[in-house]
Amino acid sequence: MPDHRDLDWILTHLGEDREKYFGAVAPPILQSSIFCFASVADMRARMRDEYAEHCYTRGNNPTVEILRAKIAALEGAEDCLVFGSGAAAISAAVTASVSAGEHVVCVQKPYSWTHKLLAQLLPRFGVRCTFVDGTDVANMENALESATRLIVLETPNSLTFELQDLAAVASLARARGIRTLCDNSYASPLNQSPIALGIDLVAHSATKYLNGHSDVVAGALCGPQAILREVFKGPFMTFGAALSPHDAWLMMRGMRTLRLRVERSGTSALKIAQWLEAHPKVEQVWYPHLPSHLQYALAKRQMCMSGGLLSFAPRCETIAAVERLCDALRRFLLSVSWGGYESLACPTAAFLPPDTPVDASLPRPSPPNLVRLSIGIEDADVLIADLAQALDRI
Ligand SMILES: *Cc1c(COP(=O)(O)O)cnc(C)c1O
């Protein structure tokens, strides 16, 4: 995990060469699509290394480059590429790693668009994927084939928070020369360091904690420069999901307070999870740092703390009751996504027909009465009071 003295340096100073821009404390937004060259010889030399030089902003840009250096340092990675979304970062990592006839192993229930990439899009190009319950590393081992090139992890996932043992999966993969990719959006670079545990590539939906203000969609991919150069020459440049200099600047502005926000949301989320678990109208709470979580020991070993996201199932007989509860919330906005300064509620019911039965006997990886909460930076007691009055409606 990054040591906190380093963390302050990374977020406040790393990559910022203020003498180059008049001592300005905030970096300039170099809103230019192209950069010109001093001579043909200069042009020839720099165009040969678009990954590192400034030539064309789909590839690299000086404002974007500061952000890349900061995120790489946060993950303890050699380098980082940033993208126009987290989905683009994950798609680029995967498509750079596999070819037709090859195979991917992925955890069950990854982020929805990661699932669509692996289950629907890539099979059209001859890449197969097996989804496995990643709570037991033996399941991953059993799914490996001679054609397996990549293992896709997401620990924990962002709905019911199943974990994978990163060190165990990494050693399994390394022994067989298989690349590993971990979506670290939930833990953020502050609470979990997959690269230190032997994982090759780390992806982020930077839309979530890294930016933290619900005003930018962005992604990041961290890892060894050799792999990132491969990603750059392949999907990064051909699909062209680059982050604009302005969005990179907003991201850096958001990241100044990353530590404050992540610590605050995580502390409040634990308090709220404990409060919900003790509430008579709550059937179940999902949160890695609750002793009731099936992988609590692994969560404590692998993550400093949990994030600001948690899920709970209120004791509701009907979807209508879940709706009454959620509609009564005043401090939580009803929305998708998470990781911003503001608290959000996202009920599974919003994605189901209103007459869906809430039946405890049905298979329940994600029950219809599940409500996911993203805890922002508001006072935890204010949020608890709001949840209390909403739970009174059922
Ligand atoms: C949101 C999210 C993504 C996708 O990121 P976008 O920035 O929305 O493209 C990927 N993984 C997880 C865990 C997410 O929550």
Side-chain angles (χ1 to χ4, degrees), residues 85-87 90 111 154 158 183 185 205 207-208 217-218 338:
S85 72
I90 293 164
Y111 178 67
E154 188 180 312
S158 59
D183 183 331
S185 305
S205 170
T207 313
K208 313 291 165 55
V217 174
W338 49 273

Side-chain angles (χ1 to χ4, degrees), residues 340-357:
Y341 62 90
E342 76 293 8
S343 292
L344 305 174
C346 183
T348 298
F351 305 93
L352 299 170
D355 56 356
T356 306

Side-chain angles (χ1 to χ4, degrees), residues 162-180:
E162 290 89 9
L163 276 65
Q164 300 102 55
D165 183 333
L166 288 172
V169 178
S171 74
L172 179 77
R174 290 232 158 144
R176 291 166 174 76
I178 297 170
R179 189 175 284 178
T180 47

